[in-house]
Amino acid sequence: MFERMSEQFEGMQPGRLPEGMGRGTVLVDVEDRGDAFVVTADLPGFDREEIEVNLRDDTLELSASRETAEETETSDFVRRERRRSDVSRSVRLPEPVDAEGTTATHENGVLTVTLPKRTPEESGGTDIPVN
């Protein structure tokens, strides 16, 4: 009965998540601060050790995974839904960034990744003269 009520409640909130996103998706804000992109993601309940941040080309990959404690002989759950939690998200960045200068912090359930933009000479581009 609780599961049915929960499903009905979720169904009453269209537009709560961006289309195509469901459970297990990390919602992010991507801010352009001129010289850097700042990606902020809410990851409540995850410890710093459970979070992975990877940068592949121009795509930032965020993931977090945790398992709840093992049941003991004295455990007497009426309902147990928090066995394992995995979330992830890939964010394509609009410009090349400096991977070596990228920093990530996690405080109070909020992950903040700062990605400095590459200057044109760092991006490996070549000026081609027009004759």
Side-chain angles (χ1 to χ4, degrees):
M1 181 169 91
F2 285 113
E3 288 177 32
R4 255 191 5 221
M5 286 176 30
S6 179
E7 288 173 13
Q8 289 175 348
F9 182 75
E10 288 173 7
M12 292 171 40
Q13 299 177 358
R16 184 165 180 236
L17 295 175
E19 189 173 323
M21 294 185 166
R23 292 183 181 170
T25 300
V26 178
L27 299 179
V28 299
D29 292 336
V30 180
E31 182 182 357
D32 185 345
R33 292 195 179 161
D35 61 341
F37 293 108
V38 177
V39 178
T40 307
D42 290 335
L43 294 170
F46 288 97
D47 292 330
R48 180 172 301 148
E49 300 79 29
E50 299 168 327
I51 299 170
E52 288 189 30
V53 179
N54 295 302
L55 184 62
R56 299 188 198 301
D57 299 320
D58 293 332
T59 301
L60 179 66
E61 298 172 352
L62 309 174
S63 64
S65 178
R66 73 162 175 259
E67 288 193 41
T68 58
E70 294 284 325
E71 291 184 32
T72 63
E73 292 180 19
T74 60
S75 298
D76 190 19
F77 292 99
V78 174
R79 181 179 178 131
R80 182 146 193 206
E81 297 178 342
R82 299 178 44 237
R83 293 183 186 266
R84 180 173 178 88
S85 182
D86 296 310
V87 295
S88 64
R89 179 72 184 269
S90 292
V91 179
R92 182 132 175 102
L93 302 167
E95 294 178 40
V97 294
D98 176 16
E100 304 226 354
T102 297
T103 60
T105 60
H106 180 256
E107 188 174 337
N108 296 326
V110 178
L111 175 69
T112 303
V113 183
T114 304
L115 305 115
K117 294 180 183 179
R118 278 197 224 162
T119 59
E121 54 272 0
E122 290 177 326
S123 63
T126 304
D127 287 334
I128 301 172
V130 178
N131 296 328

